[in-house]
Amino acid sequence: MAQVISNSGHDDMIHDAVLDYYGRRLATCSSDKTIKIFEVEGESHRLTETLKGHEGAVWCVSWAHPKYGNILASASYDGKVFIWREQNNQWQKIYEFALHTASVNLVAWAPHDAGCLLACASSDGNVSVLEFKDNTWSHQIFPAHGIGVNAVSWAPAIAPGALTSASGPATPSMRRFVTGGSDCQVKIWEFNPETGSYVCSNTLTGHNDWVRDVAWSPTVLSKAYIASASQDKTVRIWTSSNPDLREWKSITLNVDAVAWRVSWSLSGNVLAVSTGDNRVSLWKERLSGGWECVKTIEE
């Protein structure tokens, strides 16, 4: 990844670099207000497109699932979210969401079986969810964390344990996500089909400084796992084993530096934590309980 970034054609700091579903394309974004698209072939890569239009640093890019086409979302300091699509080798901005009044810090697509849904976390304290359905975009926007939302992450579309229960998945595609805010809180949101809106079903407290990132594990085992990274130099791992996810327990990992990002492996059982001292540590749950650091990578 470093090799790609070092000669990526951006003039400023790279904020995000994401491979598409097949690993054939890399999207990067930067303080220079642009997004670059690279074709990746083996060890080599070539710049194929530079997307312009944001008026501030671009913090985050995210690929939609290929079942929706070649679609990329971007989030910027300018308060806007852009949706880009490639058709016949031409990239085009197909939608612009401009209702946030401050920086949009992170965007995340829902699991594809829940629908074509994008959640956006903003410094204005609000979260928005954009949905593409019946050929049109719609949105909801609602207050989440008073002094700013830093991160958002979707739950798997199947509730924990549903795959292993005799009756099979009772609710095939749950719409649930977690947010982290500058109010030191982690909140869980659920879509209520009756009211057609998202409601906060749980507020998880324990951090004593900004929550910088949250990550919901993609695994659908008997438990749900959420990791939260904070400025308080800890990562908390929250688990819930009841199907309605009403009760959560947490374990604290001391990482000795500001925790910036957390990310789960695809199988969901290894957690990567990146910290302000330019390290990435990998954590695994012990069979006996508790978590251990299995590897540290100096950047």
Side-chain angles (χ1 to χ4, degrees):
M1 202 59 107
Q3 169 218 4
V4 171
I5 290 171
S6 63
N7 50 14
S8 67
H10 285 292
D11 303 328
D12 281 304
M13 187 172 171
I14 303 273
H15 296 295
D16 204 5
V18 189
L19 285 164
D20 72 355
Y21 183 83
Y22 299 111
R24 291 184 200 139
R25 283 199 171 131
L26 176 77
T28 63
C29 62
S30 142
S31 294
D32 68 7
K33 310 177 189 176
T34 69
I35 298 149
K36 308 261 182 195
I37 312 280
F38 299 87
E39 294 286 337
V40 180
E41 282 164 25
E43 289 295 293
S44 68
H45 58 275
R46 61 188 175 88
L47 177 63
T48 56
E49 190 71 67
T50 301
L51 305 178
K52 294 179 177 164
H54 278 297
E55 290 150 26
V58 187
W59 302 129
C60 176
V61 281
S62 182
W63 293 97
H65 188 274
K67 93 176 215 190
Y68 298 113
N70 288 331
I71 288 182
L72 185 73
S74 58
S76 166
Y77 181 74
D78 64 14
K80 291 175 183 169
V81 175
F82 290 171
I83 312 277
W84 311 83
R85 183 173 64 190
E86 187 216 35
Q87 264 186 319
N88 312 324
N89 292 324
Q90 289 293 142
W91 281 92
Q92 231 178 346
K93 183 172 75 174
I94 56 166
Y95 186 67
E96 177 174 327
F97 184 70
L99 290 186
H100 286 291
T101 56
S103 175
V104 181
N105 301 316
L106 200 126
V107 284
W109 294 99
H112 64 92
D113 23 12
C116 189
L117 299 158
L118 182 76
C120 317
S122 170
S123 293
D124 65 8
N126 294 324
V127 165
S128 55
V129 179
L130 314 184
E131 179 171 16
F132 186 69
K133 202 170 124 192
D134 306 327
N135 243 5
T136 56
W137 288 93
S138 60
H139 67 267
Q140 297 193 18
I141 186 165
F142 47 93
H145 297 267
I147 49 176
V149 193
N150 300 318
V152 58
S153 175
W154 290 85
I158 299 167
L163 285 179
T164 50
S165 71
S167 59
T171 48
S173 57
M174 281 300 304
R175 296 182 173 189
R176 232 188 224 128
F177 57 81
V178 58
T179 55
S182 303
D183 56 5
C184 316
Q185 293 181 340
V186 172
K187 290 184 179 182
I188 293 167
W189 304 82
E190 273 176 37
F191 183 71
N192 179 335
E194 273 97 70
T195 60
S197 58
Y198 289 86
V199 286
C200 179
S201 60
N202 232 308
T203 300
L204 308 178
T205 55
H207 284 298
N208 54 33
D209 206 335
W210 285 26
V211 177
R212 284 281 180 193
D213 198 19
V214 286
W216 200 309
S217 167
T219 172
V220 281
L221 299 171
S222 54
K223 277 199 289 199
Y225 291 83
I226 290 171
S228 56
S230 170
Q231 198 117 336
D232 66 11
K233 302 187 178 178
T234 70
V235 167
R236 279 180 179 251
I237 294 176
W238 311 83
T239 54
S240 178
S241 38
N242 54 337
D244 63 1
L245 304 185
R246 287 292 179 263
E247 285 160 35
W248 292 82
K249 291 185 205 143
S250 82
I251 286 179
T252 304
L253 313 180
N254 291 308
V255 290
D256 303 325
V258 170
W260 278 102
R261 297 302 300 262
V262 274
S263 130
W264 294 98
S265 62
L266 284 176
S267 60
N269 59 2
V270 178
L271 180 72
V273 178
S274 63
T275 41
D277 55 2
N278 286 334
R279 287 178 195 220
V280 176
S281 52
L282 302 180
W283 297 76
K284 233 181 152 160
E285 192 171 17
R286 293 192 202 94
L287 289 173
S288 59
W291 290 73
E292 62 182 337
C293 178
V294 290
K295 190 170 184 170
T296 304
I297 303 152
E298 301 267 350
E299 289 196 343

